[in-house]
């Protein structure tokens, strides 16, 4: 089992589209240099059904784990 796999939204059952439904600070916030500890908001999901989720982490694996537990 791939632990970086995101489960579908628990509310609407839709697959989470990493491109459209997620805020990923490494990608969506534009730092002048790469420093995961000092910039941008934590990773979050904003599903089109209105569900929002943030694990208050910048760590992808930690985020996925928190999301999958919630689901
Ligand atoms: Zn949803």
């Amino acid at each position: 089992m791939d632990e970086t796999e995101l489960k579908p939204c628990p509310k609407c059952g839709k697959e989470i589209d990493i491109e459209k439904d997620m805020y990923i600070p490494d990608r969506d916030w534009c730092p002048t240099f790469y420093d995961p500890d000092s910039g941008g908001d934590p990773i979050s999901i904003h599903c089109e059904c209105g569900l929002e989720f943030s694990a208050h982490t910048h760590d992808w694996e930690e985020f996925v784990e928190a999301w999958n537990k919630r689901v």
Side-chain angles (χ1 to χ4, degrees):
M1 171 139 186
D2 182 0
E3 46 180 21
T4 61
E5 189 89 8
L6 285 167
K7 291 186 180 174
C9 173
K11 193 174 169 190
C12 67
K14 192 176 86 71
E15 294 288 333
I16 298 302
D17 188 332
I18 291 171
E19 299 294 321
K20 293 181 193 158
D21 300 334
M22 292 196 68
Y23 173 82
I24 302 170
D26 287 350
R27 180 193 67 191
D28 298 327
W29 183 74
C30 297
T32 51
F33 60 95
Y34 180 75
D35 184 350
D37 293 328
S38 73
D41 296 321
I43 302 170
S44 60
I45 285 177
H46 303 274
C47 186
E48 60 182 31
C49 70
L51 181 135
E52 296 194 5
F53 177 78
S54 171
H56 306 290
T57 177
H58 290 72
D59 186 274
W60 175 254
E61 285 184 15
E62 214 174 290
F63 178 85
V64 170
E65 197 182 316
W67 167 258
N68 288 346
K69 266 183 198 160
R70 185 182 190 277
V71 173

